[in-house]
Amino acid sequence: MTVLDPTPLIDIRDLRVTFNTARGPAEAICGVNLSLKPGEVLGIVGESGSGKSVAMMALMHLLPPSATITGSVKFRGRELVGAPRAEMDRLRGAKIGMIFQDPLTAFNPVLTVGAQIVEALRLHDAALSKRAAWNRAIELLAEVAIPQPDRRAAQYPHEFSGGMRQRAMIAMAIANRPELLIADEPTTALDVTVQAQIMDVLHKLREERGIGLILITHDLGVVAGAADRIAVMYSGRIVEQGTVDDVFHASRHPYTRGLIAALPRLDGGDGPLTAIEGTPPSLFNRPRGCAFRPRCPVALAPCGEGVPPLRRAGAVESACWRATEFAEVPA
């Protein structure tokens, strides 16, 4: 087991992202604070539109010019917000790798998978010959459990199955041995067997290389056995965070509890799955106070008077005005 370094690998403070649109400014990220240590796995969970991917794309400087980013994002103490493009080009793919949500569109369809991995390798190591890079690409495909890697390296992305494309994307992301790996919905649209294979690959990388991993997903079940800590996002904010055990067994926020209640259980549970009524709010029309208030089954009048801060409530940090009332109630 990798010994965790207490020094933060990534430290995010008051991150805010606002998009300038035809309808006016839309704040997608509203003051996110996160940190990750080397060798640690952080699961960021929430519904589509909660801001999970936008926050990480901001970290990587991959958002369009219409996005305004403020706050602080430090990688190994180096400030990334406002960093020059040349500096980010050196970091992306070398020190920070990213597994994109849809590997089919992330790959170039007119280049072989091997050629794209070679490109990623030689971009950060000009002294590496084409032959050496090709051999390394084959080794990387073998490392992520792709059968016949020498033959597969010469194939195009459309010739790979969904699970194989995802593993090839992981191979490209780890090609230059990054210290931080961001996996954006790495198991979406894959069957459960392939999901397990992908998570096994990520677990092996964390154990063998000590990579810090940020796992973005809408599925609490995916992070249950993979993450050390969980941050739950809703409408651009972190509404709850803590260790996996604490979030699952001692959550304080009604949104987190709703997500947990919606998980299917092998033992059948105590009844039918519970749905969270309603939909997430529009970025242009957030409700006053707590953004979850219109969908919350326990909301009171004070919940509409101010945005609840993220504060300690029992074993977790929760952004709910009533969090301390739930402190002794198991999730």
Side-chain angles (χ1 to χ4, degrees):
M1 177 70 180
T2 302
V3 177
L4 300 183
D5 183 343
T7 306
L9 178 62
I10 196 82
D11 191 32
I12 301 173
R13 296 293 145 200
D14 195 31
L15 178 66
R16 296 176 182 272
V17 177
T18 302
F19 290 97
N20 298 313
T21 74
R23 294 177 59 187
E27 191 175 29
I29 304 297
C30 314
V32 163
N33 297 301
L34 282 174
S35 65
L36 182 77
K37 299 179 182 128
E40 188 177 30
V41 180
L42 171 67
I44 303 181
V45 181
E47 292 171 283
S48 296
S50 62
K52 310 181 299 297
S53 297
V54 171
M56 295 303 104
M57 296 286 269
L59 181 159
M60 296 285 284
H61 284 217
L62 294 176
L63 292 176
S66 61
T68 300
I69 304 169
T70 61
S72 174
V73 177
K74 291 184 178 179
F75 175 74
R76 291 288 192 189
R78 184 184 312 179
E79 182 60 66
L80 301 186
V81 173
R85 179 174 177 176
E87 182 177 354
M88 290 305 302
D89 286 344
R90 289 192 294 269
L91 285 174
R92 283 191 302 251
K95 297 295 184 182
I96 307 174
M98 187 162 187
I99 303 166
F100 293 96
Q101 190 168 148
D102 183 358
L104 182 59
T105 56
F107 276 114
N108 188 328
V110 300
L111 295 177
T112 65
V113 169
Q116 294 180 67
I117 297 175
V118 165
E119 184 180 34
L121 286 164
R122 301 191 74 213
L123 181 65
H124 295 284
D125 185 0
L128 193 65
S129 69
K130 288 184 179 180
R131 173 54 58 186
W134 184 262
N135 291 335
R136 177 62 183 144
I138 293 172
E139 291 173 4
L140 285 162
L141 292 176
E143 191 172 339
V144 295
I146 288 182
Q148 298 179 297
D150 52 341
R151 182 172 70 86
R152 291 294 187 178
Q155 293 183 328
Y156 293 88
H158 72 270
E159 297 180 275
F160 280 45
S161 67
M164 287 175 61
R165 275 195 297 269
Q166 194 64 277
R167 279 177 278 174
M169 176 60 65
I170 294 172
M172 189 156 66
I174 66 170
N176 292 291
R177 296 185 173 275
E179 298 176 57
L180 171 64
L181 185 61
I182 300 170
D184 190 358
E185 300 279 8
T187 60
T188 297
L190 301 176
D191 64 58
V192 291
T193 302
V194 178
Q195 284 186 20
Q197 292 171 353
I198 297 299
M199 295 310 299
D200 284 345
V201 168
L202 293 175
H203 177 74
K204 180 181 176 183
L205 289 170
R206 181 261 185 109
E207 291 292 307
E208 294 182 353
R209 297 191 179 189
I211 288 176
L213 175 63
I214 296 177
L215 181 60
I216 303 170
T217 181
H218 62 275
D219 187 350
L220 272 171
V222 169
V223 299
D228 299 303
R229 291 186 296 116
I230 295 177
V232 181
M233 287 193 70
Y234 186 80
S235 192
R237 299 180 187 276
I238 294 176
V239 296
E240 193 154 54
Q241 63 180 355
T243 67
V244 171
D245 285 345
D246 289 339
V247 169
F248 270 90
H249 301 295
S251 64
R252 305 291 180 258
H253 200 284
Y255 178 61
T256 308
R257 292 186 169 206
L259 293 178
I260 294 171
L263 286 173
R265 295 174 53 173
L266 292 177
D267 62 4
D270 298 322
L273 299 181
T274 303
I276 301 176
E277 299 293 334
T279 58
S282 164
L283 301 185
F284 298 100
N285 188 31
R286 283 193 176 97
R288 289 184 57 192
C290 176
F292 187 62
R293 178 173 54 87
R295 305 173 70 189
C296 182
V298 295
L300 298 176
C303 299
E305 297 175 2
V307 177
L310 195 65
R311 55 183 178 168
R312 176 63 57 181
V316 298
E317 289 182 299
S318 182
C320 176
W321 291 121
R322 303 190 63 190
T324 54
E325 298 178 37
F326 309 137
E328 303 302 322
V329 182

